[in-house]
Amino acid sequence: METNSDLYRDLDRVLITKDEIAEKVRELGRKITRDYAGKAPVLVCILKGASVFFTDLIREIDLPLTLDFMAISSYGSATKTSGVVRILKDLDNDILGKDVIVVEDIVDTGITLSYLTKILMQRGAKSLRIAALLDKPARRQVPELQVDYMCFNIPDAFVVGYGLDYDQVYRNLPDIGVLSPRVYGDK
Ligand code: IMP
Ligand code: MG
């Protein structure tokens, strides 16, 4: 760990290494390429957390896909979702009749994604699937939420790196790690 060593000091441990991530992302890209053969899906990146995963994933998909970006915020403290979701930046393009794949960093309670998928279906998407890098099943509050593509199941711990932040920091860590609770106290 020669790089980002100050950031690594705030981790309890590395949970998933960059090589493990790269392998899963490659597998997922192949699977999406097969599942969407003959189609031109719109890949929607949920900013900012999914940005790193998104840019890696799209390069592993061999289809004439297009990109769009959306930013949402869930009110709450830095480490807990409140359930109230607000669109900060909407899609640039219409998704009517499109095959949409929403790319998200992590499904925690599932509240953010269940809200988002409802909105996107109301806009007339032809199909909608969710691709998420991480899943924390222990914390799910929306059991009916279907996550179609998932890379890793993780335990109920607050993780950072590979796009995921705490207070906007740590997104540039190449690995995913458990943030030491001493960094965020009991916020
Ligand atoms: P949900 O609505 O509870 O599923 O919240 C999902 C969002 O909460 C994610 O998109 C993240 O921005 C954030 N989040 C949840 N768990 C973590 C974590 O362990 N680390 C960093 N962000 C997280
Ligand atoms: Mg997020």
Side-chain angles (χ1 to χ4, degrees):
M1 287 183 207
E2 306 96 341
T3 55
N4 301 348
S5 55
D6 283 345
L7 298 178
Y8 277 100
R9 260 195 282 279
D10 289 340
L11 301 183
D12 266 353
R13 63 198 164 101
V14 168
L15 193 63
I16 311 169
T17 66
K18 66 176 200 281
D19 292 343
E20 290 167 334
I21 298 168
E23 194 185 322
K24 280 279 183 191
V25 171
R26 210 170 302 128
E27 262 172 43
L28 178 55
R30 281 198 214 110
K31 187 160 177 22
I32 291 175
T33 303
R34 281 196 304 272
D35 291 355
Y36 285 79
K39 296 181 177 162
V42 182
L43 279 272
V44 173
C45 174
I46 307 302
L47 296 169
K48 304 174 181 128
S51 58
V52 180
F53 173 43
F54 186 78
T55 52
D56 281 346
L57 178 62
I58 58 172
R59 286 176 289 172
E60 300 293 346
I61 301 174
D62 187 12
L63 294 171
L65 56 81
T66 57
L67 313 181
D68 213 332
F69 297 85
M70 202 167 188
I72 46 190
S73 104
S74 7
Y75 292 97
S77 68
T79 59
K80 298 250 158 57
T81 308
S82 70
V84 184
V85 177
R86 185 165 59 119
I87 296 179
L88 302 178
K89 186 228 168 287
D90 209 336
L91 298 175
D92 289 336
N93 300 113
D94 203 348
I95 53 164
L96 182 70
K98 304 278 188 183
D99 293 303
V100 176
I101 305 175
V102 173
V103 181
E104 177 60 303
D105 51 1
I106 182 166
V107 187
D108 186 24
T109 63
I111 292 169
T112 311
L113 271 180
S114 82
Y115 170 85
L116 195 65
T117 48
K118 270 183 208 120
I119 296 182
L120 298 183
M121 285 313 288
Q122 280 166 8
R123 293 183 186 180
K126 181 172 160 204
S127 71
L128 190 134
R129 284 186 180 174
I130 296 171
L133 178 69
L134 304 175
D135 187 12
K136 272 190 209 170
R139 287 179 38 88
R140 193 63 38 83
Q141 285 179 30
V142 191
E144 67 276 14
L145 180 74
Q146 195 186 325
V147 181
D148 308 276
Y149 301 109
M150 180 66 69
C151 292
F152 300 96
N153 272 332
I154 61 163
D156 182 10
F158 195 80
V159 295
V160 294
Y162 197 68
L164 289 110
D165 73 306
Y166 169 68
D167 226 357
Q168 299 304 325
V169 187
Y170 307 101
R171 295 194 196 273
N172 55 323
L173 279 179
D175 305 294
I176 293 170
V178 176
L179 188 64
S180 170
R182 77 182 137 73
V183 176
Y184 56 85
D186 54 6
K187 249 192 248 179

